[in-house]
PDB file of all heavy atoms in Angstrom:
ATOM      1  N   GLN A  31     151.405 123.426 120.264  1.00 95.00           N
ATOM      2  CA  GLN A  31     152.314 122.372 119.808  1.00 95.00           C
ATOM      3  C   GLN A  31     153.373 122.046 120.898  1.00 95.00           C
ATOM      4  O   GLN A  31     153.690 120.867 121.148  1.00 95.00           O
ATOM      5  CB  GLN A  31     153.076 122.819 118.539  1.00 95.00           C
ATOM      6  CG  GLN A  31     153.862 121.704 117.862  1.00 95.00           C
ATOM      7  CD  GLN A  31     154.526 122.169 116.597  1.00 95.00           C
ATOM      8  OE1 GLN A  31     155.702 122.264 116.491  1.00 95.00           O
ATOM      9  NE2 GLN A  31     153.703 122.473 115.614  1.00 95.00           N
ATOM     10  N   ALA A  32     153.882 123.060 121.610  1.00 96.00           N
ATOM     11  CA  ALA A  32     154.899 122.834 122.584  1.00 96.00           C
ATOM     12  C   ALA A  32     154.358 122.013 123.740  1.00 96.00           C
ATOM     13  O   ALA A  32     155.020 121.034 124.237  1.00 96.00           O
ATOM     14  CB  ALA A  32     155.433 124.174 123.112  1.00 96.00           C
ATOM     15  N   ILE A  33     153.152 122.330 124.249  1.00 96.00           N
ATOM     16  CA  ILE A  33     152.664 121.582 125.392  1.00 96.00           C
ATOM     17  C   ILE A  33     152.160 120.204 125.014  1.00 96.00           C
ATOM     18  O   ILE A  33     152.340 119.248 125.728  1.00 96.00           O
ATOM     19  CB  ILE A  33     151.473 122.341 126.100  1.00 96.00           C
ATOM     20  CG1 ILE A  33     151.161 121.709 127.435  1.00 96.00           C
ATOM     21  CG2 ILE A  33     150.206 122.457 125.211  1.00 96.00           C
ATOM     22  CD1 ILE A  33     152.352 121.618 128.375  1.00 96.00           C
ATOM     23  N   LEU A  34     151.673 120.032 123.723  1.00 95.00           N
ATOM     24  CA  LEU A  34     151.322 118.713 123.292  1.00 95.00           C
ATOM     25  C   LEU A  34     152.488 117.811 123.184  1.00 95.00           C
ATOM     26  O   LEU A  34     152.442 116.639 123.468  1.00 95.00           O
ATOM     27  CB  LEU A  34     150.538 118.794 121.903  1.00 95.00           C
ATOM     28  CG  LEU A  34     150.038 117.459 121.363  1.00 95.00           C
ATOM     29  CD1 LEU A  34     149.115 116.770 122.377  1.00 95.00           C
ATOM     30  CD2 LEU A  34     149.336 117.665 120.053  1.00 95.00           C
ATOM     31  N   THR A  35     153.644 118.384 122.758  1.00 95.00           N
ATOM     32  CA  THR A  35     154.871 117.660 122.685  1.00 95.00           C
ATOM     33  C   THR A  35     155.233 117.083 124.084  1.00 95.00           C
ATOM     34  O   THR A  35     155.637 115.921 124.197  1.00 95.00           O
ATOM     35  CB  THR A  35     156.000 118.505 122.166  1.00 95.00           C
ATOM     36  OG1 THR A  35     155.658 118.909 120.821  1.00 95.00           O
ATOM     37  CG2 THR A  35     157.344 117.745 122.103  1.00 95.00           C
ATOM     38  N   ARG A  36     155.138 117.965 125.079  1.00 95.00           N
ATOM     39  CA  ARG A  36     155.453 117.553 126.461  1.00 95.00           C
ATOM     40  C   ARG A  36     154.526 116.463 126.938  1.00 95.00           C
ATOM     41  O   ARG A  36     154.966 115.505 127.579  1.00 95.00           O
ATOM     42  CB  ARG A  36     155.408 118.760 127.353  1.00 95.00           C
ATOM     43  CG  ARG A  36     156.538 119.788 127.117  1.00 95.00           C
ATOM     44  CD  ARG A  36     156.302 121.061 127.865  1.00 95.00           C
ATOM     45  NE  ARG A  36     156.423 120.854 129.292  1.00 95.00           N
ATOM     46  CZ  ARG A  36     156.149 121.777 130.203  1.00 95.00           C
ATOM     47  NH1 ARG A  36     155.736 122.982 129.829  1.00 95.00           N
ATOM     48  NH2 ARG A  36     156.311 121.511 131.484  1.00 95.00           N
ATOM     49  N   LEU A  37     153.265 116.580 126.557  1.00 95.00           N
ATOM     50  CA  LEU A  37     152.277 115.588 127.011  1.00 95.00           C
ATOM     51  C   LEU A  37     152.507 114.241 126.307  1.00 95.00           C
ATOM     52  O   LEU A  37     152.465 113.179 126.933  1.00 95.00           O
ATOM     53  CB  LEU A  37     150.854 116.080 126.725  1.00 95.00           C
ATOM     54  CG  LEU A  37     150.407 117.306 127.560  1.00 95.00           C
ATOM     55  CD1 LEU A  37     149.071 117.784 127.031  1.00 95.00           C
ATOM     56  CD2 LEU A  37     150.276 116.951 129.035  1.00 95.00           C
ATOM     57  N   LEU A  38     152.758 114.272 125.027  1.00 93.00           N
ATOM     58  CA  LEU A  38     153.040 113.031 124.244  1.00 93.00           C
ATOM     59  C   LEU A  38     154.305 112.382 124.728  1.00 93.00           C
ATOM     60  O   LEU A  38     154.462 111.138 124.626  1.00 93.00           O
ATOM     61  CB  LEU A  38     153.106 113.370 122.754  1.00 93.00           C
ATOM     62  CG  LEU A  38     151.750 113.709 122.114  1.00 93.00           C
ATOM     63  CD1 LEU A  38     152.024 114.218 120.692  1.00 93.00           C
ATOM     64  CD2 LEU A  38     150.828 112.513 122.135  1.00 93.00           C
ATOM     65  N   ASN A  39     155.242 113.174 125.319  1.00 93.00           N
ATOM     66  CA  ASN A  39     156.503 112.622 125.835  1.00 93.00           C
ATOM     67  C   ASN A  39     156.312 112.065 127.244  1.00 93.00           C
ATOM     68  O   ASN A  39     157.257 111.517 127.826  1.00 93.00           O
ATOM     69  CB  ASN A  39     157.587 113.662 125.830  1.00 93.00           C
ATOM     70  CG  ASN A  39     158.149 113.921 124.409  1.00 93.00           C
ATOM     71  OD1 ASN A  39     158.045 113.085 123.562  1.00 93.00           O
ATOM     72  ND2 ASN A  39     158.742 115.159 124.246  1.00 93.00           N
ATOM     73  N   GLY A  40     155.085 112.169 127.754  1.00 93.00           N
ATOM     74  CA  GLY A  40     154.784 111.545 129.039  1.00 93.00           C
ATOM     75  C   GLY A  40     155.122 112.412 130.273  1.00 93.00           C
ATOM     76  O   GLY A  40     155.139 111.867 131.445  1.00 93.00           O
ATOM     77  N   GLU A  41     155.286 113.702 130.078  1.00 94.00           N
ATOM     78  CA  GLU A  41     155.562 114.542 131.274  1.00 94.00           C
ATOM     79  C   GLU A  41     154.311 114.573 132.125  1.00 94.00           C
ATOM     80  O   GLU A  41     153.193 114.855 131.662  1.00 94.00           O
ATOM     81  CB  GLU A  41     155.950 115.913 130.765  1.00 94.00           C
ATOM     82  CG  GLU A  41     156.523 116.826 131.886  1.00 94.00           C
ATOM     83  CD  GLU A  41     157.125 118.131 131.352  1.00 94.00           C
ATOM     84  OE1 GLU A  41     157.450 118.141 130.134  1.00 94.00           O
ATOM     85  OE2 GLU A  41     157.238 119.094 132.081  1.00 94.00           O
ATOM     86  N   THR A  42     154.504 114.344 133.410  1.00 93.00           N
ATOM     87  CA  THR A  42     153.348 114.151 134.314  1.00 93.00           C
ATOM     88  C   THR A  42     152.701 115.519 134.705  1.00 93.00           C
ATOM     89  O   THR A  42     152.695 115.894 135.856  1.00 93.00           O
ATOM     90  CB  THR A  42     153.662 113.338 135.528  1.00 93.00           C
ATOM     91  OG1 THR A  42     154.844 113.958 136.156  1.00 93.00           O
ATOM     92  CG2 THR A  42     154.033 111.935 135.156  1.00 93.00           C
ATOM     93  N   LEU A  43     152.191 116.187 133.740  1.00 96.00           N
ATOM     94  CA  LEU A  43     151.452 117.444 133.954  1.00 96.00           C
ATOM     95  C   LEU A  43     150.036 117.174 134.239  1.00 96.00           C
ATOM     96  O   LEU A  43     149.536 116.094 133.966  1.00 96.00           O
ATOM     97  CB  LEU A  43     151.633 118.308 132.757  1.00 96.00           C
ATOM     98  CG  LEU A  43     153.027 118.752 132.376  1.00 96.00           C
ATOM     99  CD1 LEU A  43     153.164 119.259 130.936  1.00 96.00           C
ATOM    100  CD2 LEU A  43     153.531 119.820 133.378  1.00 96.00           C
ATOM    101  N   PRO A  44     149.263 118.091 134.813  1.00 97.00           N
ATOM    102  CA  PRO A  44     147.837 117.822 135.137  1.00 97.00           C
ATOM    103  C   PRO A  44     147.079 117.340 133.940  1.00 97.00           C
ATOM    104  O   PRO A  44     146.230 116.449 134.069  1.00 97.00           O
ATOM    105  CB  PRO A  44     147.382 119.196 135.609  1.00 97.00           C
ATOM    106  CG  PRO A  44     148.594 119.809 136.262  1.00 97.00           C
ATOM    107  CD  PRO A  44     149.724 119.397 135.403  1.00 97.00           C
ATOM    108  N   ALA A  45     147.300 117.905 132.744  1.00 96.00           N
ATOM    109  CA  ALA A  45     146.556 117.445 131.551  1.00 96.00           C
ATOM    110  C   ALA A  45     146.804 115.992 131.180  1.00 96.00           C
ATOM    111  O   ALA A  45     146.031 115.344 130.532  1.00 96.00           O
ATOM    112  CB  ALA A  45     146.881 118.346 130.374  1.00 96.00           C
ATOM    113  N   LEU A  46     147.987 115.442 131.619  1.00 96.00           N
ATOM    114  CA  LEU A  46     148.232 114.039 131.409  1.00 96.00           C
ATOM    115  C   LEU A  46     147.606 113.166 132.539  1.00 96.00           C
ATOM    116  O   LEU A  46     147.229 112.045 132.298  1.00 96.00           O
ATOM    117  CB  LEU A  46     149.744 113.753 131.317  1.00 96.00           C
ATOM    118  CG  LEU A  46     150.112 112.320 131.019  1.00 96.00           C
ATOM    119  CD1 LEU A  46     149.704 111.984 129.571  1.00 96.00           C
ATOM    120  CD2 LEU A  46     151.670 112.149 131.139  1.00 96.00           C
ATOM    121  N   ARG A  47     147.589 113.738 133.718  1.00 96.00           N
ATOM    122  CA  ARG A  47     147.095 113.002 134.869  1.00 96.00           C
ATOM    123  C   ARG A  47     145.575 112.905 134.846  1.00 96.00           C
ATOM    124  O   ARG A  47     144.951 112.035 135.485  1.00 96.00           O
ATOM    125  CB  ARG A  47     147.550 113.646 136.185  1.00 96.00           C
ATOM    126  CG  ARG A  47     149.035 113.500 136.420  1.00 96.00           C
ATOM    127  CD  ARG A  47     149.494 114.146 137.686  1.00 96.00           C
ATOM    128  NE  ARG A  47     148.815 113.579 138.844  1.00 96.00           N
ATOM    129  CZ  ARG A  47     148.977 114.037 140.088  1.00 96.00           C
ATOM    130  NH1 ARG A  47     149.783 115.022 140.324  1.00 96.00           N
ATOM    131  NH2 ARG A  47     148.359 113.471 141.136  1.00 96.00           N
ATOM    132  N   ALA A  48     144.919 113.849 134.132  1.00 97.00           N
ATOM    133  CA  ALA A  48     143.458 113.793 134.061  1.00 97.00           C
ATOM    134  C   ALA A  48     143.031 112.703 133.084  1.00 97.00           C
ATOM    135  O   ALA A  48     143.312 112.713 131.879  1.00 97.00           O
ATOM    136  CB  ALA A  48     142.954 115.131 133.549  1.00 97.00           C
ATOM    137  N   ARG A  49     142.394 111.659 133.645  1.00 96.00           N
ATOM    138  CA  ARG A  49     141.887 110.521 132.846  1.00 96.00           C
ATOM    139  C   ARG A  49     140.489 110.121 133.269  1.00 96.00           C
ATOM    140  O   ARG A  49     140.229 110.184 134.437  1.00 96.00           O
ATOM    141  CB  ARG A  49     142.853 109.298 133.072  1.00 96.00           C
ATOM    142  CG  ARG A  49     144.258 109.501 132.693  1.00 96.00           C
ATOM    143  CD  ARG A  49     144.555 109.474 131.234  1.00 96.00           C
ATOM    144  NE  ARG A  49     145.977 109.668 130.918  1.00 96.00           N
ATOM    145  CZ  ARG A  49     146.861 108.697 130.844  1.00 96.00           C
ATOM    146  NH1 ARG A  49     146.459 107.467 131.083  1.00 96.00           N
ATOM    147  NH2 ARG A  49     148.071 108.974 130.579  1.00 96.00           N
ATOM    148  N   SER A  50     139.723 109.697 132.272  1.00 96.00           N
ATOM    149  CA  SER A  50     138.409 109.212 132.584  1.00 96.00           C
ATOM    150  C   SER A  50     138.533 107.778 133.098  1.00 96.00           C
ATOM    151  O   SER A  50     139.462 107.030 132.743  1.00 96.00           O
ATOM    152  CB  SER A  50     137.555 109.206 131.307  1.00 96.00           C
ATOM    153  OG  SER A  50     136.399 108.450 131.493  1.00 96.00           O
ATOM    154  N   ASN A  51     137.626 107.376 133.999  1.00 94.00           N
ATOM    155  CA  ASN A  51     137.556 106.002 134.338  1.00 94.00           C
ATOM    156  C   ASN A  51     136.934 105.183 133.164  1.00 94.00           C
ATOM    157  O   ASN A  51     136.946 103.926 133.219  1.00 94.00           O
ATOM    158  CB  ASN A  51     136.615 105.787 135.606  1.00 94.00           C
ATOM    159  CG  ASN A  51     137.251 106.357 136.815  1.00 94.00           C
ATOM    160  OD1 ASN A  51     138.505 106.398 136.965  1.00 94.00           O
ATOM    161  ND2 ASN A  51     136.445 106.798 137.771  1.00 94.00           N
ATOM    162  N   GLY A  52     136.438 105.842 132.151  1.00 94.00           N
ATOM    163  CA  GLY A  52     135.975 105.180 130.942  1.00 94.00           C
ATOM    164  C   GLY A  52     137.006 105.372 129.825  1.00 94.00           C
ATOM    165  O   GLY A  52     138.101 104.837 129.838  1.00 94.00           O
ATOM    166  N   GLU A  53     136.633 106.302 128.891  1.00 96.00           N
ATOM    167  CA  GLU A  53     137.485 106.536 127.699  1.00 96.00           C
ATOM    168  C   GLU A  53     138.037 107.954 127.787  1.00 96.00           C
ATOM    169  O   GLU A  53     137.286 108.904 128.058  1.00 96.00           O
ATOM    170  CB  GLU A  53     136.678 106.355 126.459  1.00 96.00           C
ATOM    171  CG  GLU A  53     137.467 106.583 125.168  1.00 96.00           C
ATOM    172  CD  GLU A  53     136.636 106.300 123.870  1.00 96.00           C
ATOM    173  OE1 GLU A  53     135.421 106.308 123.970  1.00 96.00           O
ATOM    174  OE2 GLU A  53     137.253 106.053 122.813  1.00 96.00           O
ATOM    175  N   THR A  54     139.299 108.123 127.498  1.00 97.00           N
ATOM    176  CA  THR A  54     139.940 109.432 127.374  1.00 97.00           C
ATOM    177  C   THR A  54     140.445 109.638 125.984  1.00 97.00           C
ATOM    178  O   THR A  54     141.113 108.786 125.410  1.00 97.00           O
ATOM    179  CB  THR A  54     141.135 109.528 128.366  1.00 97.00           C
ATOM    180  OG1 THR A  54     140.687 109.234 129.668  1.00 97.00           O
ATOM    181  CG2 THR A  54     141.770 110.950 128.306  1.00 97.00           C
ATOM    182  N   VAL A  55     140.019 110.742 125.421  1.00 97.00           N
ATOM    183  CA  VAL A  55     140.391 111.044 123.989  1.00 97.00           C
ATOM    184  C   VAL A  55     141.069 112.386 123.949  1.00 97.00           C
ATOM    185  O   VAL A  55     140.602 113.384 124.508  1.00 97.00           O
ATOM    186  CB  VAL A  55     139.070 111.074 123.091  1.00 97.00           C
ATOM    187  CG1 VAL A  55     139.448 111.460 121.677  1.00 97.00           C
ATOM    188  CG2 VAL A  55     138.415 109.734 123.134  1.00 97.00           C
ATOM    189  N   TRP A  56     142.236 112.429 123.246  1.00 97.00           N
ATOM    190  CA  TRP A  56     142.870 113.673 122.841  1.00 97.00           C
ATOM    191  C   TRP A  56     142.511 114.001 121.420  1.00 97.00           C
ATOM    192  O   TRP A  56     142.974 113.289 120.529  1.00 97.00           O
ATOM    193  CB  TRP A  56     144.360 113.616 123.046  1.00 97.00           C
ATOM    194  CG  TRP A  56     144.856 113.538 124.457  1.00 97.00           C
ATOM    195  CD1 TRP A  56     144.062 113.653 125.554  1.00 97.00           C
ATOM    196  CD2 TRP A  56     146.178 113.366 124.878  1.00 97.00           C
ATOM    197  NE1 TRP A  56     144.897 113.577 126.711  1.00 97.00           N
ATOM    198  CE2 TRP A  56     146.172 113.374 126.293  1.00 97.00           C
ATOM    199  CE3 TRP A  56     147.377 113.168 124.271  1.00 97.00           C
ATOM    200  CZ2 TRP A  56     147.339 113.201 127.085  1.00 97.00           C
ATOM    201  CZ3 TRP A  56     148.530 112.982 124.987  1.00 97.00           C
ATOM    202  CH2 TRP A  56     148.510 113.037 126.406  1.00 97.00           C
ATOM    203  N   LEU A  57     141.715 114.966 121.177  1.00 97.00           N
ATOM    204  CA  LEU A  57     141.347 115.378 119.890  1.00 97.00           C
ATOM    205  C   LEU A  57     142.171 116.604 119.486  1.00 97.00           C
ATOM    206  O   LEU A  57     142.002 117.675 120.093  1.00 97.00           O
ATOM    207  CB  LEU A  57     139.813 115.729 119.837  1.00 97.00           C
ATOM    208  CG  LEU A  57     139.214 116.233 118.512  1.00 97.00           C
ATOM    209  CD1 LEU A  57     139.469 115.255 117.383  1.00 97.00           C
ATOM    210  CD2 LEU A  57     137.733 116.427 118.758  1.00 97.00           C
ATOM    211  N   VAL A  58     143.082 116.481 118.552  1.00 96.00           N
ATOM    212  CA  VAL A  58     143.969 117.569 118.187  1.00 96.00           C
ATOM    213  C   VAL A  58     143.894 117.898 116.696  1.00 96.00           C
ATOM    214  O   VAL A  58     143.458 117.074 115.874  1.00 96.00           O
ATOM    215  CB  VAL A  58     145.443 117.171 118.547  1.00 96.00           C
ATOM    216  CG1 VAL A  58     145.511 116.693 119.999  1.00 96.00           C
ATOM    217  CG2 VAL A  58     145.970 116.089 117.597  1.00 96.00           C
ATOM    218  N   ASP A  59     144.257 119.089 116.311  1.00 95.00           N
ATOM    219  CA  ASP A  59     144.322 119.410 114.896  1.00 95.00           C
ATOM    220  C   ASP A  59     145.751 119.341 114.438  1.00 95.00           C
ATOM    221  O   ASP A  59     146.686 119.268 115.231  1.00 95.00           O
ATOM    222  CB  ASP A  59     143.698 120.759 114.587  1.00 95.00           C
ATOM    223  CG  ASP A  59     144.416 121.980 115.155  1.00 95.00           C
ATOM    224  OD1 ASP A  59     145.431 121.783 115.843  1.00 95.00           O
ATOM    225  OD2 ASP A  59     144.003 123.097 114.856  1.00 95.00           O
TER     226      ASP A  59
END
């Protein structure tokens, strides 16, 4: 939950910088 909060807030961490040239999906519970 803590790291997802940071990512949703747009913090430029590697998991946010990783994007597909096609479709990028965040599947969360």
Side-chain angles (χ1 to χ4, degrees):
Q31 190 177 112
I33 192 58
L34 182 58
T35 300
R36 294 170 66 187
L37 294 171
L38 290 171
N39 286 337
E41 191 170 338
T42 53
L43 297 163
L46 184 65
R47 292 179 60 181
R49 301 283 180 87
S50 169
N51 291 332
E53 183 178 19
T54 304
V55 176
W56 288 355
L57 177 57
V58 308
D59 69 355

